[in-house]
Amino acid sequence: MKHYKVVVTGPFAAGKTTFIKTVTEIAPIQTEAKTTNNEESQIKDSTTVAMDFGRIAIDEENVLHIFGTPGQFRFNYMWSILSKDAIGIILIVDSGERDQFEDAKDMLNFFRVKTDVPIVVVLNHFKEKSHTTEEELRTFMNIPQKILVIDCDATGRESVKNVLITLLNLIIMQGDTFD
Amino acid sequence: MLEGSLKDFTLDDLLQMVSLGEKTGELVLFGETPFGRKSGKIYFEKGEVKDAETEESRGEVAIVELLNIKEGTFRFAPSDVSTIKRSVQRSIPDLVLLSTSKLDEWNKVKARVSSVDVVFKLSTEGIPDEIHLSPVDWKVMTELGKGETIRDVALKLNMTVFDIARVTYGLVALKILREVGVKDPDSDKFLRRKSAPKNFILRLIERLRRI
């Protein structure tokens, strides 16, 4: 069986697990633990501590694996492990959580240094407290024009599919495939 | 003659024995180093290192490479080394220290250059607007851009694999070179870095559209 990997990353509570749940064909495998950090537990009860896992199969022999990373910097050892041999990276940012843009910027720089595969930044507008535009996000995170920023609702299947298709087209355009 | 595995004798032990015994002869080494597989010779005269050679280098550079063999074999045979020109002036403890510091530097380089058998391709995606390259950088970039490995380029340009790897580190950091795979040094077979066939991606896009 041939399997290829896409990594979904982003700050705490950006919508990574939801993104994977929305598109995976199998029941997602999650490694959630109760949040113990006061600040984090006010946002949600549990958090990914190792990875999320989803899957899309073309047929029995060809499969795409989707791995979700933990969001917190203290789990960054998992970012390196999970991004090894990935063919593309999706970095999700919650449009309404401007406090987390600095973390997202650090994560983007981490993956730009650690990998040379295509990266897309996803601006997740689901249940946003306030709206952030692509240009605002580019300025906040200092995102170069060559990195795509895509609007998305992580709970909407069409929206999530659009992100994945955009990344896959980018992989072809950047010559990261072979005939 | 003394012969065996480096599992039983460390290189430090061997050097001490040759030095304390004030031996004259050649120590043949073969094994795995962080710079790739190495074989070479260290020539001793009355317990002092006189010269060293590997396939790619000579003198202290060769010593540094050979002293970093962690697993492998050795053979020490007494021989006449009077005709061999002295290329090493340092004492054995100094050479051990030098090899350790080079190893630290290599570990830093390894963050971007995983092996001396890596194959690269030239890239224009994401490179800075202005880059200044030295003539050596140009030579290394041109050769690596043809699909040669660091090991091949070292031989071709008569430089050490370490020096080529250090230049490569800078070119990869500037995103001028991108790793595309690795070449097996024995069979010359090219193994592609994990990337997907175009057909797989196109079929996956179709599959996603149908979900």
Side-chain angles (χ1 to χ4, degrees), chain A residues 98-128:
Chain A
R98 295 188 175 210
D99 292 350
Q100 295 195 350
F101 289 176
E102 198 59 36
D103 289 346
K105 184 178 169 182
D106 291 341
M107 292 182 96
L108 178 62
N109 290 335
F110 177 94
F111 285 100
R112 285 180 72 190
V113 169
K114 285 279 182 185
T115 71
D116 59 0
V117 296
I119 300 176
V120 293
V121 176
V122 171
L123 197 47
N124 183 15
H125 295 289
F126 175 64
K127 279 188 180 173
E128 59 188 2

Side-chain angles (χ1 to χ4, degrees), chain A residues 6-11 14-16 19 69 79 88-94 100-101 103-112 118-124 137 141 143 147-150 152 163 167:
Chain A
V6 161
V7 168
V8 178
T9 190
K16 303 178 289 296
F19 183 97
T69 72
W79 304 351
I89 310 280
I90 294 167
L91 191 151
I92 301 185
V93 184
D94 185 330
Q100 295 195 350
F101 289 176
D103 289 346
K105 184 178 169 182
D106 291 341
M107 292 182 96
L108 178 62
N109 290 335
F110 177 94
F111 285 100
R112 285 180 72 190
I119 300 176
V120 293
V121 176
V122 171
L123 197 47
N124 183 15
L137 188 73
M141 287 176 58
I143 303 171
I147 293 182
L148 282 181
V149 176
I150 311 167
C152 169
V163 170
L167 177 69

Side-chain angles (χ1 to χ4, degrees), chain A residues 19 22-23 152-164:
Chain A
F19 183 97
T22 301
V23 78
C152 169
D153 170 356
T155 60
R157 180 168 268 197
E158 288 306 313
S159 190
V160 170
K161 277 165 57 180
N162 177 51
V163 170
L164 278 170

Side-chain angles (χ1 to χ4, degrees), chain A residues 8-24 28-32 44 46-49 51-54 66-71 92 124 154-155 160:
Chain A
V8 178
T9 190
F12 172 71
K16 303 178 289 296
T17 304
T18 308
F19 183 97
I20 293 171
K21 269 186 191 170
T22 301
V23 78
T24 181
I29 296 166
Q30 295 168 261
T31 56
E32 299 259 315
K44 57 180 191 171
S46 62
T47 185
T48 302
V49 289
M51 62 173 187
D52 295 320
F53 177 71
I66 308 170
F67 284 88
T69 72
I92 301 185
N124 183 15
T155 60
V160 170

Side-chain angles (χ1 to χ4, degrees), chain A residues 3-4 25 56-59 62-64 85 112 116 146 157 161 168-169 172 175-178, chain B residues 112 121 126 175 178-179 192-198 200-205 207-209 211:
Chain A
H3 52 84
Y4 300 95
E25 291 176 333
I56 298 167
I58 296 175
D59 51 40
N62 295 283
V63 178
L64 178 75
D85 291 336
R112 285 180 72 190
D116 59 0
K146 65 180 167 52
R157 180 168 268 197
K161 277 165 57 180
L168 294 171
N169 278 320
I172 293 175
D176 277 347
T177 56
F178 59 94
Chain B
R112 288 188 192 276
K121 75 169 182 182
K175 306 225 180 237
R178 293 181 64 186
E179 189 178 322
R192 186 173 290 279
R193 188 195 67 159
K194 186 87 173 182
S195 63
K198 192 172 180 180
F200 170 84
I201 301 288
L202 291 172
R203 287 176 66 202
L204 185 59
I205 291 171
R207 175 81 187 91
L208 276 164
R209 288 196 172 124
I211 288 176

